Amino acid sequence: MADTTDTGDGEYVADDGWAERLRDARMKRFRTTWQAAKALGALDPRLPSLRQLHRYWSQRWETGKVRPNRTYRELIEHLLDAPGLFTGEAAGSAEPAAEDTVPAAVGAGSSGSSGFAGHFGGSNWRIRPHSVVDDKYDSHAELDREVRMATDEAAEHVTDSDTGLSERAVEQLWDEVRRLARGYNLRPLTDVFTDARQARNHAARLVGRTHRPSQLADLHAVAGGACGVLANATFDMGYWDAAARFADSAFGYGELAGHDSLRAWALGMQGFVAHWQGRPNDALRKLGEALELAPAGTATVRLHSIAARTRGQLSDPDGVDRAVRAAEEARAVDSRDELHDGIGGELGYEPARLHVSAATGYVRLGNGPAAEEHAQRAVEMYESLPVADRAYYAEYGARVDLAAARVLRGDLSGARHALLTVFALAPAQRVAGVLGRLDQVRQLLAADIYRDSREARQLTNDITDFTTTTPPHQLPSDD
């Protein structure tokens, strides 16, 4: 029997061939899953709504995750004039594959849990809409599913209604990458990961539908941008090797697209990951390659800022000073590029991040006053922004660096004050960069000068409690 994972929404099963046969049979009769679901609904008025049927067909059945139950199988085989479509798959097996357990005539108003929940270890993280829920919906989660389903249906219909590949289809993908990058700090990392992976896969599928060089370049750039978001999400979840691989894929897509800004961004991400993995020389090599490609302005600011962190790791005070000055000079250049500035968000580099990186570099050097100056500046810049525009992972990284700087100066009371809001972070927001910095504060508190300090011991215990009670972020089991 195929391996299964219980998600509370039927059983997810390995695709043993029936899903591929279903896709092939459907495409002989209907060009899109939307058309197939509409025709299926016309066969029996007791079936769920068209939206629900489309969700089943496009997200469960043709993906091979959930096999239709017997009622659905009989109707689908009749609709597609394909007797034995499903039974042929099961004939050579000792046991039938796990089936979609939603009854055919029941459940039009039942949505169950998110299909991706099982892949993320049963995570119950959800987007929390701020709008008022209408009486038609029982909860924000139900409304969110309906909204997402409707937008997916509309996007698929626009794309598949074109005999080739419309310019709007490519624009929609760019819009999706832009939404993911700019809304990164407002959503659970697992949701960002899922949507970015879907965007990359969608771009990859559309590559086969066009031979126009401009569209191919755009699709490769979109896929690379989605990989960039995936690199950030996996890094923040603590999967650094995966982050490096996604960055490498982003670079490859940048090569295919002839997109120097994307290539520079990807090399910078590789350098950033190498820095955190304790490979400063590899990091500087990647950053040097990136600087040869990077356009002036934000892209260059980002690369010099990452270099400042790494020079601190190498105990190179002159190198840190040079990198910070170079970043500040690049910030003064009036230049924009389509990735770092046009899309921005997690694919850009807001001004406060320069000071976050500078603070990290000076903490590494043990230069408390300089680290505190830059960390305080970063915190103030973030506090001046609307909450929706504040990248919490960078802001709270700056707060931890501020605490580290004060520990270096002997101000333990000030260090604790800097960490108060950090300790209040929800588990889903305790990203790897914040946890890694907290470990560094704990190491500073272990210095001989604090050996007999009760305040230092208490702060160390608080940090330990915070980090050890933080649940690990879960990636899908197949990645």
Side-chain angles (χ1 to χ4, degrees):
M1 182 175 180
D3 292 336
T4 64
T5 302
D6 185 6
T7 67
D9 189 23
E11 283 188 317
Y12 279 53
V13 301
D15 181 355
D16 296 322
W18 56 266
E20 183 176 356
R21 292 196 298 274
L22 173 60
R23 286 193 295 272
D24 291 342
R26 186 266 301 168
M27 292 178 71
K28 292 178 182 178
R29 299 289 301 273
F30 306 100
R31 201 154 54 83
T32 69
T33 54
W34 180 263
Q35 293 171 345
K38 185 176 181 179
L40 180 63
L43 291 179
D44 191 334
R46 297 171 299 171
L47 292 180
S49 68
L50 175 57
R51 288 183 177 181
Q52 192 85 323
L53 288 174
H54 179 245
R55 175 175 175 261
Y56 291 168
W57 201 307
S58 63
Q59 297 183 23
R60 292 178 169 193
W61 303 337
E62 285 204 7
T63 61
K65 291 176 180 176
V66 185
R67 196 173 74 160
N69 66 22
R70 179 174 298 178
T71 301
Y72 280 129
R73 292 202 301 270
E74 292 175 354
L75 288 170
I76 292 170
E77 288 179 352
H78 173 71
L79 176 70
L80 301 181
D81 192 21
L85 179 66
F86 298 99
T87 57
E89 173 270 334
S93 303
E95 297 180 78
E99 298 176 0
D100 187 340
T101 58
V102 179
V106 182
S110 172
S111 54
S113 62
S114 169
F116 289 99
H119 286 305
F120 289 110
S123 167
N124 61 358
W125 294 332
R126 294 289 184 269
I127 302 171
R128 296 175 174 82
H130 297 293
S131 57
V132 176
V133 178
D134 189 271
D135 290 341
K136 179 180 179 181
Y137 301 101
D138 295 330
S139 66
H140 281 302
E142 185 175 348
L143 175 59
D144 180 65
R145 282 192 294 272
E146 287 294 317
V147 170
R148 182 184 292 269
M149 195 184 308
T151 57
D152 288 346
E153 291 162 358
E156 179 177 354
H157 185 258
V158 169
T159 299
D160 290 337
S161 293
D162 191 80
T163 55
L165 180 60
S166 69
E167 291 297 331
R168 180 57 189 151
V170 180
E171 290 173 6
Q172 285 179 321
L173 273 175
W174 274 122
D175 288 343
E176 175 66 1
V177 171
R178 189 176 294 107
R179 180 186 72 84
L180 289 168
R182 294 180 180 177
Y184 184 92
N185 60 306
L186 301 176
R187 304 180 58 209
L189 291 171
T190 49
D191 286 356
V192 173
F193 180 93
T194 296
D195 287 355
R197 180 169 62 178
Q198 289 178 338
R200 191 223 72 90
N201 292 345
H202 192 186
R205 287 193 298 270
L206 293 185
V207 164
R209 290 183 50 183
T210 184
H211 297 289
R212 294 173 58 182
S214 61
Q215 286 189 335
L216 287 172
D218 270 343
L219 290 171
H220 286 137
V222 166
C227 283
V229 176
L230 286 166
N232 276 315
T234 47
F235 175 86
D236 283 336
M237 287 190 283
Y239 295 89
W240 291 351
D241 288 339
R245 291 184 62 188
F246 279 126
D248 186 58
S249 295
F251 179 83
Y253 280 122
E255 291 269 79
L256 291 171
H259 201 300
D260 282 349
S261 183
L262 177 57
R263 293 166 67 201
W265 187 95
L267 287 169
M269 186 65 188
Q270 290 178 329
F272 181 72
V273 174
H275 159 77
W276 277 96
Q277 290 180 323
R279 298 184 288 112
N281 291 319
D282 288 342
L284 290 176
R285 178 173 55 81
K286 290 291 185 182
L287 295 170
E289 294 173 9
L291 282 167
E292 294 179 1
L293 298 168
T298 304
T300 304
V301 173
R302 173 175 174 265
L303 297 171
H304 284 305
S305 298
I306 298 171
R309 298 168 177 254
T310 307
R311 290 292 180 184
Q313 194 174 21
L314 290 169
S315 300
D316 178 6
D318 290 339
V320 174
D321 289 341
R322 286 196 304 271
V324 171
R325 283 197 303 271
E328 291 172 339
E329 291 169 1
R331 176 66 67 195
V333 175
D334 184 14
S335 178
R336 291 175 56 84
D337 75 86
E338 60 180 338
L339 182 71
H340 294 79
D341 302 298
I343 293 179
E346 199 55 21
L347 297 177
Y349 208 71
E350 67 267 15
R353 291 208 199 188
L354 188 164
H355 297 286
V356 177
S357 291
T360 300
Y362 286 117
V363 166
R364 289 279 189 162
L365 292 176
N367 186 337
E372 184 170 17
E373 177 184 349
H374 284 283
Q376 185 65 54
R377 178 62 177 142
V379 169
E380 291 171 354
M381 292 175 75
Y382 280 120
E383 288 180 338
S384 70
L385 297 174
V387 174
D389 295 336
R390 289 157 66 170
Y392 69 85
Y393 41 89
E395 176 185 350
Y396 284 87
R399 292 182 185 277
V400 178
D401 279 345
L402 181 58
R406 289 173 177 173
V407 171
L408 287 169
R409 291 199 302 101
D411 180 8
L412 297 186
S413 177
R416 173 172 291 280
H417 185 268
L419 292 177
L420 289 178
T421 54
V422 177
F423 289 151
L425 273 175
Q429 295 180 313
R430 299 175 188 179
V431 297
V434 170
L435 297 176
R437 285 178 168 91
L438 281 170
D439 188 60
Q440 184 168 255
V441 175
R442 184 164 46 193
Q443 292 176 34
L444 293 174
L445 289 167
D448 288 343
I449 59 172
Y450 296 124
R451 180 178 301 169
D452 299 321
S453 171
R454 180 179 179 181
E455 191 173 14
R457 285 196 301 273
Q458 184 58 56
L459 188 54
T460 298
N461 291 337
D462 290 343
I463 292 172
T464 300
D465 289 343
F466 180 86
T467 56
T468 57
T469 58
T470 297
H473 292 281
Q474 297 291 325
L475 276 179
S477 59
D478 58 349
D479 276 312

